[in-house]
DNA sequence: TTACTATTGAGACACGTGCCTCAAAGCAAT
DNA sequence: ATTGCTTTGAGGCACGTGTCTCAATAGTAA
């Protein structure tokens, strides 16, 4: 069609050197004209290509992370047909240097792409950039990093906070009240974004409500219990509780023990066995979540597209801020 | 590994005749032992297999169907690499005989699988069964058919109705009021299920509210306007409006014209440009929807799994009842 | 044992692409 | 026209599987 040999087409398609610009254009024109699309399956077969991906996740007993791990295993099975192998490495997320060191140890000989869930610190940011320079595709995962705008997988945490605030405001009767905000730790960017969204909507749309300063549990059951009981002792008019961290177990079990007045609205994040139970038994009024299976599959698809130099279906990769009630579990 | 030749393994793998049971067992044992998984990409390459799927959809100017069509085109592109070709046929959904005739005209030589969106009638049900007998995989799509329990793609409409009812009840203050229910037509199974879910939750959880009988617009703009204005003339204490059909345009534009008291809660179904606008401008309080892109991709994946005799990832194929507010658009 | 049939093996070619080598042709500077 | 470099062509083998043919072997009934 282009009047050239298969070898030349190959040179053009795979970007090899030593082809005249004029020839390249001829080939591309022909490709355009007959609407040729490379059969990626055949190409991968020929290259006996395997996609070696790595998920770098925080080590924690967090149920949400447990879900993520389950989904990675699931995807492992589902994507074997596509020659995708996904490994997992757990790192202490409080130690940015360890994370950076791990990333620094990865080379393109061993891995094609990495999905990284880690708090944003200068060390990590640098390590990610250097990783990319070395030719390993890196993709911020769930925890955002201010790098390449849309190249990350996770939900818009500000919108999630706004949504939580809206539901809180709309579920409560229109009268003055205070809102307790409980977090594991508010240092992470995700927590800050959620909090800011929550405050924004409460202040602007529901001025009769007042969001109290965040209370941190640091993952401790005891601390959670103390916080919960103290809130209700000192602040008489608590109307709602917003649990903004991804792990709702500690605050929830504290709430179960303390027995709150039952017209209080409680909203938490992330769908886990624990939050599901709390929805069913009526403790939680709503859960704002992102689908862990979708997160994992989206990361895999995006990494694959990156290694192939393709683009992905925008609409499929958008991580939705999902609202879950008892009724649409 | 099994001590047999490649030819025999082929006979076993592809279920050809004339292999002793003992040999079959040996081969399967070996497969089990070394954990062999067939490279589907290579297999399809060798067979130069293409998956020819057909979407049978109602012909209607419905925006939701428009979205579905867009997503089918999108999937078309995204799945070319997997040799999937999806065609669309529109049929008058009020004529079950035409639908049945169309299905009857499909043979396995021309198409591998069909996703069918059609109201449930005896003719259609029969046609689907006969289609399957002829060896064409059929999958009810969006509109459910009481056939094979989980083999369909769409959301649980009863749960959707319950969710709509719950939001309605929770968004409204706890005081007596009436709820208008507007539908295109309430004859379809989907509408009935939504209505039943809605009533159930209103009656049991929010007894101070009363859901009025459904009002049908039959897609007519004028009729919608008349219905909307009459409701508010004759019934003084309308607290909320539930638009339960997939096309909210007629009722919504009627509402825009009539200018309702603005503390009325309005909930509709399906995310479309129209409902999005209504969310943004505050006319709608919530939209209950299913993701059209996900519906289409799920149908394609399920049809592909059916033709390959594989199973799909349960969790990925579950169509969620999504709640959309202005904040998580 | 013989004469069957049922089962198995060996080998070839195909699918669409990648990747390599060697030779041929084109081109520019001298 | 010669030399040396750049660009192109021809052809082969590979990837993992399917599918076919023909021959070889095993098994069974007479």
């Amino acid at each position: 069609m282009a009047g050239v040999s298969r070898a030349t087409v190959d040179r053009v398609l795979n970007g090899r050197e030593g082809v005249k610009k004029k020839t390249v254009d001829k080939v591309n024109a022909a490709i355009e004209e007959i609407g040729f699309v490379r059969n990626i399956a055949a190409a991968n077969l020929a290259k006996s290509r395997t996609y070696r991906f790595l998920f770098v996740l925080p080590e924690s007993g967090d149920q949400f992370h447990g879900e993520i791990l389950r989904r990675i295993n699931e995807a492992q099975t589902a994507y074997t047909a596509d020659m995708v192998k996904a490994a997992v490495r757990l790192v202490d997320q409080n130690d940015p240097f360890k994370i950076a060191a791990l990333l620094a140890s990865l080379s393109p000989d061993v891995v094609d792409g990495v999905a990284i869930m880690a708090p944003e610190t200068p060390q990590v940011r640098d390590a990610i950039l250097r990783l990319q320079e070395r030719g390993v595709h890196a993709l911020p995962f769930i925890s955002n990093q201010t790098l390449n705008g849309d190249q990350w997988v996770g939900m818009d945490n500000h919108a999630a906070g706004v949504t939580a605030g809206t539901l809180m405001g709309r579920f409560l009767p229109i009268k003055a009240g205070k809102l307790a905000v409980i977090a594991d730790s508010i240092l992470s960017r995700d927590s800050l974004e959620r909090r800011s969204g929550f405050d924004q909507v409460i202040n602007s749309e529901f001025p009769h409500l007042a969001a109290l300063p965040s209370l941190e549990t640091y993952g401790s059951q005891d601390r959670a219990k103390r916080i919960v009981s103290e809130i209700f002792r000192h602040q008489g008019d608590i109307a709602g509780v917003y649990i903004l961290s991804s792990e709702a177990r500690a605050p929830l079990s504290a709430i179960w023990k303390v027995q709150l007045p039952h017209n209080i609205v409680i909203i938490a994040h992330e769908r886990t066995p624990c939050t599901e139970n709390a929805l069913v038994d009526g403790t939680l009024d709503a859960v704002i979540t992102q689908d862990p299976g979708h997160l994992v599959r989206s990361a895999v698809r995006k990494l694959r597209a990156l290694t192939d130099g393709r683009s992905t279906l925008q609409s499929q990769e958008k991580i939705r801020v999902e609202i879950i009630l008892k009724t649409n579990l």
Side-chain angles (χ1 to χ4, degrees), chain A:
Chain A
M1 183 80 196
V4 300
S5 72
R6 219 175 60 94
T8 302
V9 174
D10 169 58
R11 291 183 180 111
V12 174
L13 273 181
N14 297 297
R16 289 181 231 288
E17 306 225 310
V19 185
K20 275 206 294 193
K21 195 165 235 162
K22 220 171 138 189
T23 316
V24 174
D25 293 342
K26 267 198 299 184
V27 172
N28 284 328
I31 286 176
E32 190 75 23
E33 190 169 348
I34 56 180
F36 169 83
V37 276
R38 200 206 220 86
N39 181 333
I40 298 188
N44 284 348
L45 177 61
K47 283 188 286 195
S48 38
R49 193 193 203 329
T50 52
Y51 299 89
R52 298 152 307 166
F53 297 145
L54 179 66
F55 282 81
V56 174
L57 303 177
E59 49 187 6
S60 85
D62 198 322
Q63 285 193 319
F64 180 59
H65 295 144
E67 284 293 315
I68 297 286
L69 287 172
R70 269 190 44 212
R71 300 319 175 148
I72 293 175
N73 283 326
E74 222 179 46
Q76 192 79 271
T77 323
Y79 283 114
T80 38
D82 300 317
M83 309 305 286
V84 170
K85 298 205 170 140
V88 175
R89 290 287 287 275
L90 303 178
V91 278
D92 181 355
Q93 72 171 338
N94 296 318
D95 188 344
F97 293 99
K98 245 186 203 155
I99 302 176
L102 170 60
L103 295 184
S105 75
L106 300 174
S107 96
D109 310 334
V110 189
V111 64
D112 299 301
V114 191
I116 301 158
M117 175 171 178
E120 188 178 32
T121 61
Q123 295 83 27
V124 171
R125 198 167 35 227
D126 271 22
I128 290 180
L129 287 174
R130 263 178 268 130
L131 193 61
Q132 288 173 328
E133 279 162 16
R134 262 178 292 141
V136 177
H137 299 280
L139 193 62
F141 184 61
I142 302 177
S143 294
N144 200 353
Q145 307 272 343
T146 353
L147 294 162
N148 18 13
D150 55 331
Q151 273 307 349
W152 80 291
V153 173
M155 75 175 173
D156 176 342
N157 280 301
H158 186 266
V162 174
T163 303
T166 304
L167 284 179
M168 181 68 81
R170 297 223 53 175
F171 281 177
L172 285 169
I174 305 179
K175 69 175 192 196
K178 290 181 182 159
L179 304 176
V181 179
I182 304 179
D184 225 51
S185 138
I186 54 157
L187 290 180
S188 77
R189 177 175 162 146
D190 306 350
S191 299
L192 291 174
E193 286 178 353
R194 288 180 187 175
R195 172 84 220 209
S196 115
F198 187 77
D199 287 353
Q200 177 189 311
V201 74
I202 293 294
N203 291 336
S204 65
E205 308 272 321
F206 310 99
H208 52 282
L209 297 173
L212 301 173
S214 306
L215 299 162
E216 295 170 277
T217 64
Y218 302 118
S220 144
Q221 182 62 57
D222 289 344
R223 215 178 134 77
K225 197 169 165 192
R226 208 165 343 116
I227 286 172
V228 170
S229 47
E230 269 176 32
I231 281 180
F232 287 92
R233 208 172 320 136
H234 297 304
Q235 309 264 6
D237 49 352
I238 295 285
V241 179
Y242 176 35
I243 303 171
L244 67 59
S245 41
S246 75
E247 179 57 293
R249 259 188 302 181
L252 274 179
S253 53
I255 286 170
W256 270 311
K257 279 185 195 132
V258 170
Q259 284 287 353
L260 304 193
H262 69 279
N263 52 354
I264 285 187
V265 171
I266 309 181
I267 294 178
H269 277 284
E270 309 310 356
R271 177 180 190 152
T272 62
C274 169
T275 54
E276 280 184 17
N277 287 339
L279 274 175
V280 171
D281 81 6
T283 309
L284 274 178
D285 295 86
V287 168
I288 313 296
T289 191
Q290 43 194 339
D291 181 342
H294 191 204
L295 285 167
V296 169
R297 290 187 295 267
S298 181
V300 169
R301 280 192 299 262
K302 279 201 167 176
L303 285 174
R304 197 141 59 109
L306 280 172
T307 40
D308 288 347
R310 285 180 298 113
S311 63
T312 49
L313 227 54
Q314 280 266 355
S315 66
Q316 185 173 14
E317 307 314 340
K318 169 96 185 168
I319 305 294
R320 308 271 355 259
V321 174
E322 296 183 9
I323 300 172
I324 304 193
L325 310 179
K326 187 203 294 200
T327 61
N328 66 332
L329 266 173

PDB file of all heavy atoms in Angstrom, chain A residues 5 34 92 94 104 120 125 133 138 149 168 208 233 243-244 252 285 306 320 325:
ATOM      1  N   SER A   5       8.558  -2.228   1.708  1.00  0.00           N
ATOM      2  CA  SER A   5       8.550  -3.617   2.154  1.00  0.00           C
ATOM      3  C   SER A   5       8.089  -3.727   3.602  1.00  0.00           C
ATOM      4  O   SER A   5       8.022  -2.751   4.334  1.00  0.00           O
ATOM      5  CB  SER A   5       9.941  -4.202   2.033  1.00  0.00           C
ATOM      6  OG  SER A   5      10.755  -3.637   3.032  1.00  0.00           O
ATOM      7  N   ILE A  34      -5.783   2.842   5.213  1.00  0.00           N
ATOM      8  CA  ILE A  34      -6.467   1.556   5.328  1.00  0.00           C
ATOM      9  C   ILE A  34      -6.921   1.301   6.758  1.00  0.00           C
ATOM     10  O   ILE A  34      -7.493   0.263   7.057  1.00  0.00           O
ATOM     11  CB  ILE A  34      -5.575   0.385   4.849  1.00  0.00           C
ATOM     12  CG1 ILE A  34      -4.245   0.374   5.611  1.00  0.00           C
ATOM     13  CG2 ILE A  34      -5.333   0.486   3.370  1.00  0.00           C
ATOM     14  CD1 ILE A  34      -3.343  -0.758   5.185  1.00  0.00           C
ATOM     15  N   ASP A  92       6.725   0.595  55.329  1.00  0.00           N
ATOM     16  CA  ASP A  92       6.310   1.456  56.429  1.00  0.00           C
ATOM     17  C   ASP A  92       6.047   2.853  55.883  1.00  0.00           C
ATOM     18  O   ASP A  92       6.959   3.531  55.430  1.00  0.00           O
ATOM     19  CB  ASP A  92       7.439   1.498  57.467  1.00  0.00           C
ATOM     20  CG  ASP A  92       7.067   2.369  58.662  1.00  0.00           C
ATOM     21  OD1 ASP A  92       5.983   2.990  58.620  1.00  0.00           O
ATOM     22  OD2 ASP A  92       7.862   2.411  59.621  1.00  0.00           O
ATOM     23  N   ASN A  94       5.379   5.502  57.295  1.00  0.00           N
ATOM     24  CA  ASN A  94       5.841   6.637  58.089  1.00  0.00           C
ATOM     25  C   ASN A  94       7.308   6.942  57.832  1.00  0.00           C
ATOM     26  O   ASN A  94       7.872   7.873  58.386  1.00  0.00           O
ATOM     27  CB  ASN A  94       5.621   6.363  59.579  1.00  0.00           C
ATOM     28  CG  ASN A  94       4.142   6.226  59.875  1.00  0.00           C
ATOM     29  OD1 ASN A  94       3.337   6.993  59.364  1.00  0.00           O
ATOM     30  ND2 ASN A  94       3.797   5.224  60.676  1.00  0.00           N
ATOM     31  N   ALA A 104      14.128   3.438  44.682  1.00  0.00           N
ATOM     32  CA  ALA A 104      15.443   3.584  44.047  1.00  0.00           C
ATOM     33  C   ALA A 104      16.003   2.237  43.627  1.00  0.00           C
ATOM     34  O   ALA A 104      16.825   2.148  42.719  1.00  0.00           O
ATOM     35  CB  ALA A 104      16.409   4.284  45.004  1.00  0.00           C
ATOM     36  N   GLU A 120       2.680  11.986  50.546  1.00  0.00           N
ATOM     37  CA  GLU A 120       3.522  12.846  49.729  1.00  0.00           C
ATOM     38  C   GLU A 120       4.596  13.521  50.572  1.00  0.00           C
ATOM     39  O   GLU A 120       4.296  14.279  51.496  1.00  0.00           O
ATOM     40  CB  GLU A 120       2.659  13.913  49.069  1.00  0.00           C
ATOM     41  CG  GLU A 120       3.418  14.728  48.057  1.00  0.00           C
ATOM     42  CD  GLU A 120       2.498  15.741  47.386  1.00  0.00           C
ATOM     43  OE1 GLU A 120       1.565  16.212  48.051  1.00  0.00           O
ATOM     44  OE2 GLU A 120       2.732  16.047  46.214  1.00  0.00           O
ATOM     45  N   ARG A 125       8.555  12.058  46.382  1.00  0.00           N
ATOM     46  CA  ARG A 125       8.325  12.733  45.115  1.00  0.00           C
ATOM     47  C   ARG A 125       9.564  12.627  44.226  1.00  0.00           C
ATOM     48  O   ARG A 125       9.478  12.292  43.049  1.00  0.00           O
ATOM     49  CB  ARG A 125       7.980  14.201  45.364  1.00  0.00           C
ATOM     50  CG  ARG A 125       7.321  14.870  44.188  1.00  0.00           C
ATOM     51  CD  ARG A 125       6.716  16.204  44.575  1.00  0.00           C
ATOM     52  NE  ARG A 125       7.508  16.883  45.583  1.00  0.00           N
ATOM     53  CZ  ARG A 125       6.992  17.438  46.672  1.00  0.00           C
ATOM     54  NH1 ARG A 125       5.694  17.376  46.901  1.00  0.00           N
ATOM     55  NH2 ARG A 125       7.765  18.049  47.537  1.00  0.00           N
ATOM     56  N   GLU A 133      12.487   8.654  35.278  1.00  0.00           N
ATOM     57  CA  GLU A 133      13.612   8.955  34.392  1.00  0.00           C
ATOM     58  C   GLU A 133      14.339   7.681  33.972  1.00  0.00           C
ATOM     59  O   GLU A 133      14.821   7.551  32.854  1.00  0.00           O
ATOM     60  CB  GLU A 133      14.611   9.889  35.089  1.00  0.00           C
ATOM     61  CG  GLU A 133      14.183  11.348  35.032  1.00  0.00           C
ATOM     62  CD  GLU A 133      14.918  12.178  36.073  1.00  0.00           C
ATOM     63  OE1 GLU A 133      15.958  11.704  36.605  1.00  0.00           O
ATOM     64  OE2 GLU A 133      14.438  13.296  36.383  1.00  0.00           O
ATOM     65  N   ALA A 138       5.620   5.105  36.702  1.00  0.00           N
ATOM     66  CA  ALA A 138       5.163   5.219  38.081  1.00  0.00           C
ATOM     67  C   ALA A 138       3.806   5.892  38.107  1.00  0.00           C
ATOM     68  O   ALA A 138       3.540   6.828  37.358  1.00  0.00           O
ATOM     69  CB  ALA A 138       6.158   6.011  38.901  1.00  0.00           C
ATOM     70  N   GLY A 149      -0.734  15.822  36.513  1.00  0.00           N
ATOM     71  CA  GLY A 149      -2.160  16.026  36.737  1.00  0.00           C
ATOM     72  C   GLY A 149      -3.058  14.813  36.766  1.00  0.00           C
ATOM     73  O   GLY A 149      -3.474  14.376  37.827  1.00  0.00           O
ATOM     74  N   MET A 168     -24.331  14.953  55.346  1.00  0.00           N
ATOM     75  CA  MET A 168     -24.468  15.282  56.770  1.00  0.00           C
ATOM     76  C   MET A 168     -25.503  16.393  56.941  1.00  0.00           C
ATOM     77  O   MET A 168     -26.441  16.285  57.729  1.00  0.00           O
ATOM     78  CB  MET A 168     -23.099  15.723  57.295  1.00  0.00           C
ATOM     79  CG  MET A 168     -23.044  16.082  58.752  1.00  0.00           C
ATOM     80  SD  MET A 168     -23.298  14.638  59.804  1.00  0.00           S
ATOM     81  CE  MET A 168     -21.659  13.906  59.782  1.00  0.00           C
ATOM     82  N   HIS A 208     -25.798  26.598  60.118  1.00  0.00           N
ATOM     83  CA  HIS A 208     -26.291  26.290  61.472  1.00  0.00           C
ATOM     84  C   HIS A 208     -25.482  25.178  62.114  1.00  0.00           C
ATOM     85  O   HIS A 208     -25.589  24.930  63.297  1.00  0.00           O
ATOM     86  CB  HIS A 208     -27.770  25.903  61.403  1.00  0.00           C
ATOM     87  CG  HIS A 208     -28.059  24.826  60.389  1.00  0.00           C
ATOM     88  ND1 HIS A 208     -28.142  25.090  59.035  1.00  0.00           N
ATOM     89  CD2 HIS A 208     -28.265  23.512  60.535  1.00  0.00           C
ATOM     90  CE1 HIS A 208     -28.402  23.948  58.391  1.00  0.00           C
ATOM     91  NE2 HIS A 208     -28.477  22.980  59.279  1.00  0.00           N
ATOM     92  N   ARG A 233     -19.338  13.968  76.444  1.00  0.00           N
ATOM     93  CA  ARG A 233     -19.468  14.500  77.782  1.00  0.00           C
ATOM     94  C   ARG A 233     -19.378  16.032  77.751  1.00  0.00           C
ATOM     95  O   ARG A 233     -20.202  16.734  78.335  1.00  0.00           O
ATOM     96  CB  ARG A 233     -18.375  13.913  78.697  1.00  0.00           C
ATOM     97  CG  ARG A 233     -18.862  13.866  80.147  1.00  0.00           C
ATOM     98  CD  ARG A 233     -17.895  13.116  81.053  1.00  0.00           C
ATOM     99  NE  ARG A 233     -17.340  11.921  80.419  1.00  0.00           N
ATOM    100  CZ  ARG A 233     -16.051  11.587  80.480  1.00  0.00           C
ATOM    101  NH1 ARG A 233     -15.184  12.373  81.119  1.00  0.00           N
ATOM    102  NH2 ARG A 233     -15.617  10.490  79.912  1.00  0.00           N
ATOM    103  N   ILE A 243     -16.226  10.498  60.239  1.00  0.00           N
ATOM    104  CA  ILE A 243     -14.994   9.725  60.401  1.00  0.00           C
ATOM    105  C   ILE A 243     -14.259   9.790  59.077  1.00  0.00           C
ATOM    106  O   ILE A 243     -14.667   9.157  58.100  1.00  0.00           O
ATOM    107  CB  ILE A 243     -15.315   8.262  60.758  1.00  0.00           C
ATOM    108  CG1 ILE A 243     -16.178   8.221  62.024  1.00  0.00           C
ATOM    109  CG2 ILE A 243     -14.031   7.465  60.954  1.00  0.00           C
ATOM    110  CD1 ILE A 243     -16.721   6.840  62.338  1.00  0.00           C
ATOM    111  N   LEU A 244     -13.180  10.550  59.030  1.00  0.00           N
ATOM    112  CA  LEU A 244     -12.651  10.812  57.687  1.00  0.00           C
ATOM    113  C   LEU A 244     -11.485   9.960  57.238  1.00  0.00           C
ATOM    114  O   LEU A 244     -11.065  10.022  56.081  1.00  0.00           O
ATOM    115  CB  LEU A 244     -12.385  12.310  57.468  1.00  0.00           C
ATOM    116  CG  LEU A 244     -11.336  13.117  58.171  1.00  0.00           C
ATOM    117  CD1 LEU A 244      -9.950  12.596  57.969  1.00  0.00           C
ATOM    118  CD2 LEU A 244     -11.413  14.542  57.643  1.00  0.00           C
ATOM    119  N   LEU A 252     -15.522   3.430  65.250  1.00  0.00           N
ATOM    120  CA  LEU A 252     -16.823   2.758  65.235  1.00  0.00           C
ATOM    121  C   LEU A 252     -16.998   1.853  66.440  1.00  0.00           C
ATOM    122  O   LEU A 252     -18.062   1.842  67.071  1.00  0.00           O
ATOM    123  CB  LEU A 252     -17.004   1.953  63.947  1.00  0.00           C
ATOM    124  CG  LEU A 252     -17.563   2.751  62.773  1.00  0.00           C
ATOM    125  CD1 LEU A 252     -17.687   1.881  61.531  1.00  0.00           C
ATOM    126  CD2 LEU A 252     -18.921   3.343  63.121  1.00  0.00           C
ATOM    127  N   ASP A 285     -24.830   6.126  58.759  1.00  0.00           N
ATOM    128  CA  ASP A 285     -25.889   6.582  57.870  1.00  0.00           C
ATOM    129  C   ASP A 285     -25.455   6.538  56.413  1.00  0.00           C
ATOM    130  O   ASP A 285     -26.265   6.350  55.515  1.00  0.00           O
ATOM    131  CB  ASP A 285     -26.296   8.008  58.244  1.00  0.00           C
ATOM    132  CG  ASP A 285     -26.922   8.035  59.621  1.00  0.00           C
ATOM    133  OD1 ASP A 285     -26.166   8.137  60.613  1.00  0.00           O
ATOM    134  OD2 ASP A 285     -28.160   7.920  59.707  1.00  0.00           O
ATOM    135  N   LEU A 306       0.528   2.817  29.684  1.00  0.00           N
ATOM    136  CA  LEU A 306       1.774   3.571  29.739  1.00  0.00           C
ATOM    137  C   LEU A 306       2.907   2.785  29.085  1.00  0.00           C
ATOM    138  O   LEU A 306       3.665   3.323  28.281  1.00  0.00           O
ATOM    139  CB  LEU A 306       2.141   3.891  31.193  1.00  0.00           C
ATOM    140  CG  LEU A 306       1.421   5.075  31.827  1.00  0.00           C
ATOM    141  CD1 LEU A 306       1.729   5.143  33.322  1.00  0.00           C
ATOM    142  CD2 LEU A 306       1.837   6.376  31.158  1.00  0.00           C
ATOM    143  N   ARG A 320     -14.944   7.006  40.730  1.00  0.00           N
ATOM    144  CA  ARG A 320     -16.118   7.693  41.224  1.00  0.00           C
ATOM    145  C   ARG A 320     -16.095   7.840  42.741  1.00  0.00           C
ATOM    146  O   ARG A 320     -15.595   6.971  43.448  1.00  0.00           O
ATOM    147  CB  ARG A 320     -17.410   6.941  40.848  1.00  0.00           C
ATOM    148  CG  ARG A 320     -17.575   6.582  39.397  1.00  0.00           C
ATOM    149  CD  ARG A 320     -18.269   7.674  38.588  1.00  0.00           C
ATOM    150  NE  ARG A 320     -18.726   8.789  39.365  1.00  0.00           N
ATOM    151  CZ  ARG A 320     -19.969   8.988  39.744  1.00  0.00           C
ATOM    152  NH1 ARG A 320     -20.890   8.135  39.429  1.00  0.00           N
ATOM    153  NH2 ARG A 320     -20.284  10.049  40.435  1.00  0.00           N
ATOM    154  N   LEU A 325     -25.438   3.647  50.954  1.00  0.00           N
ATOM    155  CA  LEU A 325     -26.369   3.599  52.078  1.00  0.00           C
ATOM    156  C   LEU A 325     -26.640   2.126  52.361  1.00  0.00           C
ATOM    157  O   LEU A 325     -26.193   1.249  51.629  1.00  0.00           O
ATOM    158  CB  LEU A 325     -27.687   4.294  51.716  1.00  0.00           C
ATOM    159  CG  LEU A 325     -27.600   5.690  51.105  1.00  0.00           C
ATOM    160  CD1 LEU A 325     -28.995   6.211  50.802  1.00  0.00           C
ATOM    161  CD2 LEU A 325     -26.883   6.639  52.070  1.00  0.00           C
TER     162      LEU A 325
END
